[in-house]
Amino acid sequence: MSTEHTTWVEGAQSVTHTGGGDIHVSLGAAAHEHRKPVFRQLPDDQLLWVRRVLVAPVNMGRARTTLKETGTVILDGAPGGGRTAAARVLLREHHRPVGAFRELLPGERDELPLHNPALVDPGDRLLLDLASAEAGLWHDALGGLPALRRTVHDRRAHLVVVMPHGGALDPDLQHYRVEIGPPVSPLEVLRRHLRAHGVPHEQFLRDDVTVDDFLRDRKPMREIADLADRIRRARESAGPGEEFPEWCAAANRARAVRRAKVAQDVAGLPEASQRALMITVSLLHGAHADVVHRATALLLNAVGPSEEGIPLLQRMDLAQRLSEISARCGPDGRVRFTELDYDSAVRAHFWDHMPDLRPHLGTWAARVVESNDPHLVPDVRDGLVARLAGEYLRTGRAEALAGLAERWSTQGAGRARSEAAVQALTCGLADPAHGRHFRERIYQWSAYRQLTAEFHHVLVQVCADVLAPGHPDHALIRLHHLARRELGTVRALEALCDLTAGSRRLRRRLLDRLARGGLPPADVAIFLRVSDPAPLTDCSVTTRALIDEEEVRRSLITCWRAVLTEAVSQPEGRRAAARAEIRRWLHWAAENAGDRGEVLLDVLVESAARCGDDRGSAFAVLYTSARRTECASPGSDAHSARTTDLLLQKIGVAQGLGPAVPSASARGGRS
């Protein structure tokens, strides 16, 4: 992904993070709470935000026309001109009820090759951001682009590729290349961001010397967006009577490197209590004073002596202690440093220069989030975790952050610590430099590690709510592993079912994965939950239902063979679920499937025919289930009777007891 220069600042609704600072993601209910995930909502929110703040770069119109006419556009241009933002806005403009926005990650585990047609669903909006890709990755991607482009065109999807600036491009792809340049007016870029941040237009439309000086030299779009965000934060923390010039001046001062000043300030505060308060305020910046006071005491208990020997009334009050570290408590009761972005410099100083403090901060943060304080609201808790995670990620300690999230989810971890673990992993997944590491780490946990129930729930929530929106294939594989290994709960299985319910492509891929995996008992149980005949026979999106596809029928036959084998060989308790699903298929074939009903019967009969020595018993199970379905049918008895007769005829043919007739799929010419 292009991370150096973009043209937006993410809002609170986004899970994408493209640089320094904080990320806050409130996902609502706890990992322990039984709830339905919110697939695909976050990327659309993110794309809407990008569209709000984008000032059209040079050649945006040509890129829009190329994408509309061909379904594909390849964006080139110098870094800092807004290529990635333009790519996202172009895809947002093609939002449709069908399909989803996805970012392709060629070369990663679980990502299908670009030439694989299964990568694309009708109506999908695909982003292939290789702006910062190395030459080898770009060369490999070029090999798959022609096939990917053809699939995108055939399925009426849309593809935007961001290519490395100066990279080679094959002659047959030059037609789709558009060179993007920065917007003509950097001032308009700044104002558009300020408007999106809610700054009153009567403020930002006035001339300002600080803004003029900043924009005098051509700046990358990312730096302009960062300035707008600092102005927004300066406005939020401004004193009475301060207006736009003061906000801009404070934002500009915050650009200066504060590390030397912080080092000098820390040297002048030798007491442990002073430094503990300084660290606490930096990690809980904007939290209520009661939270800061309690958290400071917890930090002192974790790493140093307490003040128990000093009488309560002889101790300095919080206001005095805050003044010593250049912080104050505002009228709203919230504590902040008096200088903008001083908190991030304090965090960086203690993290970099007191490495022995790092493990204590993880333990302390877990205790803070578990504090029973009415002012410890979700935003405050998430902010603490995000700032701490930011220091891990800033210094390249992704594995240590992953380990911290796992430790927070040990046996007996409560709701607050589980939510903190979700937030920590969210920050890791959203980080451009370390997202791939966290996707791989979650795979290793899901597939191979023995997990506590608490951490299992954390991973299910992260896969469903964070990973699935932008990378659903990765979420599917990890949820499959979690579902086949879970005991005493079905949360991963339900999340997996919900994920596939919204995508023909994902349902097709899961069926193929189940069929190729040998169908152990856990996978048989999963198949019985995802084999709903309704989406398999649905043709409301396209004229071709899933069950019309030869590959899908082949997967279904393999899976049903395992189900029928289990239905005739396992104890009654294990057989009940299989027979219930058979009856559901037969009922759907009789009442709702139309001309696809006979295809459902063909799949069941072919599956039974492949059961080897158990084929006779499997046929008996099908026939018995049909009779029971007929008796219990709430619809037309005649439809059910005809379905049973047709099933019996097909069973007879499969056993060589009747004249051969072509299958429904063969007669209909479907393949």
Side-chain angles (χ1 to χ4, degrees):
M1 179 182 289
S2 176
T3 60
E4 290 300 319
H5 309 290
T6 54
T7 66
W8 77 93
V9 176
E10 266 64 34
Q13 73 272 22
S14 173
V15 298
T16 299
H17 192 41
T18 59
D22 303 332
I23 176 171
H24 304 266
V25 180
S26 297
L27 294 175
H32 298 322
E33 188 173 328
H34 192 66
R35 62 187 183 81
K36 195 179 184 71
V38 287
F39 298 114
R40 296 200 181 92
Q41 292 180 4
L42 292 176
D44 285 336
D45 286 349
Q46 176 191 340
L47 295 176
L48 180 61
W49 170 260
V50 178
R51 187 181 184 188
R52 287 177 60 196
V53 300
L54 180 77
V55 174
V58 174
N59 281 334
M60 183 69 169
R62 182 183 165 200
R64 184 177 286 116
T65 300
T66 302
L67 182 62
K68 180 180 179 180
E69 293 179 349
T70 69
T72 299
V73 65
I74 301 173
L75 302 183
D76 196 0
R83 294 168 298 165
T84 300
R88 293 174 181 270
V89 168
L90 289 169
L91 290 170
R92 178 64 177 82
E93 291 174 348
H94 287 277
H95 176 81
R96 295 166 56 191
V98 297
F101 168 80
R102 301 204 319 280
E103 183 177 357
L104 305 181
L105 300 171
E108 285 200 24
R109 182 197 294 269
D110 306 326
E111 190 81 4
L112 294 173
L114 295 182
H115 59 76
N116 191 327
L119 192 66
V120 186
D121 243 4
D124 276 353
R125 294 161 288 148
L126 306 175
L127 172 62
L128 179 58
D129 188 352
L130 297 175
S132 58
E134 296 179 353
L137 180 58
W138 174 241
H139 179 269
D140 292 343
L142 280 177
L145 268 182
L148 174 61
R149 195 205 66 75
R150 285 193 296 271
T151 305
V152 165
H153 179 270
D154 293 343
R155 298 183 180 175
R156 302 183 66 187
H158 292 87
L159 168 68
V160 179
V161 180
V162 185
M163 65 177 289
H165 184 48
L169 192 63
D170 295 343
D172 58 341
L173 294 173
Q174 288 289 348
H175 172 68
Y176 307 99
R177 177 182 171 274
V178 175
E179 185 163 358
I180 292 293
V184 175
S185 173
L187 180 60
E188 179 57 28
V189 175
L190 178 66
R191 288 175 173 175
R192 183 72 62 87
H193 280 82
L194 292 174
R195 183 183 298 113
H197 285 310
V199 178
H201 69 275
E202 61 269 16
Q203 293 284 350
F204 64 71
L205 288 180
R206 64 180 64 176
D207 293 333
D208 182 79
V209 64
T210 302
V211 170
D212 292 342
D213 289 343
F214 177 82
L215 296 178
R216 184 166 290 114
D217 298 324
R218 174 66 68 175
K219 293 289 194 301
M221 297 299 101
R222 172 56 188 273
E223 291 189 21
I224 298 175
D226 285 346
L227 175 64
D229 187 56
R230 288 195 300 273
I231 293 173
R232 184 265 306 174
R233 290 186 285 113
R235 176 190 176 222
E236 292 174 353
S237 60
E242 293 183 356
E243 293 191 343
F244 190 67
E246 288 78 20
W247 307 339
C248 293
N252 193 51
R253 288 194 302 271
R255 295 178 62 223
V257 178
R258 299 188 180 278
R259 299 290 291 273
K261 184 179 186 304
V262 169
Q264 182 179 359
D265 292 346
V266 171
L269 299 170
E271 298 295 329
S273 59
Q274 296 171 317
R275 295 185 174 188
L277 181 60
M278 200 174 195
I279 295 167
T280 300
V281 173
S282 74
L283 287 163
L284 285 164
H285 204 244
H288 193 275
D290 289 356
V291 176
V292 171
H293 175 74
R294 174 61 179 157
T296 303
L298 289 174
L299 183 57
L300 281 170
N301 289 336
V303 301
S306 66
E307 294 182 327
E308 292 301 322
I310 303 175
L312 178 62
L313 294 178
Q314 289 184 16
R315 302 173 194 170
M316 294 177 64
D317 63 31
L318 185 58
Q320 291 175 290
R321 294 164 59 203
L322 289 173
S323 67
E324 290 183 338
I325 63 169
S326 301
R328 65 186 175 202
C329 181
D332 58 357
R334 298 181 179 274
V335 176
R336 297 179 177 87
F337 287 111
T338 56
E339 296 183 60
L340 188 65
D341 287 353
Y342 189 82
D343 59 311
S344 61
V346 169
R347 292 194 297 272
H349 174 85
F350 281 102
W351 186 268
D352 292 347
H353 299 293
M354 288 189 174
D356 292 341
L357 182 65
R358 296 170 188 169
H360 296 290
L361 290 177
T363 303
W364 165 78
R367 293 174 181 170
V368 171
V369 300
E370 291 180 313
S371 300
N372 185 20
D373 190 306
H375 297 294
L376 194 66
V377 294
D379 282 350
V380 173
R381 180 205 65 215
D382 290 346
L384 166 61
V385 176
R387 293 183 184 107
L388 182 60
E391 295 307 307
Y392 279 95
L393 297 170
R394 179 182 64 83
T395 53
R397 295 172 55 82
E399 184 58 29
L401 177 60
L404 181 65
E406 186 175 15
R407 289 196 299 276
W408 282 348
S409 308
T410 55
Q411 192 75 32
R415 169 177 177 154
R417 267 203 287 153
S418 294
E419 289 181 336
V422 169
Q423 174 72 358
L425 294 176
T426 297
C427 293
L429 287 168
D431 186 82
H434 302 290
R436 179 170 184 167
H437 173 88
F438 278 87
R439 288 189 290 272
E440 176 64 23
R441 197 72 179 85
I442 292 171
Y443 177 87
Q444 297 295 331
W445 278 323
S446 302
Y448 302 118
R449 287 290 294 273
Q450 290 286 54
L451 307 173
T452 64
E454 292 78 4
F455 196 44
H456 179 275
H457 297 161
V458 165
L459 293 180
V460 170
Q461 184 175 353
V462 169
C463 289
D465 289 347
V466 183
L467 194 57
H471 307 296
D473 293 72
H474 293 243
L476 181 139
I477 303 303
R478 287 150 183 77
L479 286 172
H480 179 205
H481 282 297
L482 290 167
R484 72 199 325 183
R485 301 173 64 214
E486 63 185 342
L487 298 173
T489 178
V490 291
R491 286 182 177 137
L493 177 56
E494 291 182 349
L496 183 63
C497 293
D498 288 336
L499 179 60
T500 57
S503 171
R504 288 163 52 97
R505 187 182 63 81
L506 293 179
R507 185 179 298 276
R508 182 189 300 113
R509 186 169 187 189
L510 179 58
L511 290 173
D512 177 73
R513 180 176 172 82
L514 290 169
R516 293 175 184 272
L519 275 296
D523 276 356
V524 169
I526 292 172
F527 172 73
L528 290 174
R529 287 292 301 272
V530 301
S531 59
D532 184 355
L536 292 172
T537 56
D538 177 56
C539 54
S540 60
V541 176
T542 65
T543 58
R544 194 167 186 248
L546 271 174
I547 204 165
D548 294 338
E549 301 175 15
E550 182 179 351
E551 296 82 0
V552 173
R553 290 199 303 275
R554 187 161 49 241
S555 297
L556 289 169
I557 289 168
T558 299
C559 293
W560 269 115
R561 175 191 174 192
V563 171
L564 291 169
T565 299
E566 183 170 288
V568 301
S569 62
Q570 297 297 325
E572 182 59 35
R574 295 273 295 275
R575 290 152 54 182
R579 297 189 182 211
E581 185 61 18
I582 293 170
R583 290 194 294 272
R584 180 161 70 147
W585 267 53
L586 293 171
H587 170 72
W588 191 262
E591 303 293 340
N592 304 101
D595 61 351
R596 267 83 178 183
E598 191 174 345
V599 185
L600 294 176
L601 301 184
D602 288 336
V603 168
L604 292 175
V605 172
E606 177 66 21
S607 303
R610 297 188 184 187
C611 286
D613 293 341
D614 293 323
R615 67 196 304 265
S617 299
F619 286 136
V621 168
L622 292 181
Y623 182 71
T624 302
S625 299
R627 285 301 184 197
R628 291 181 179 178
T629 303
E630 183 180 339
C631 295
S633 175
S636 169
D637 293 340
H639 287 173
S640 295
R642 283 197 297 269
T643 299
T644 302
D645 291 342
L646 182 57
L647 176 68
L648 183 59
Q649 178 187 0
K650 290 179 177 292
I651 290 174
V653 171
Q655 292 179 311
L657 302 178
V661 295
S663 67
S665 59
R667 291 199 306 273
R670 303 182 187 106
S671 60

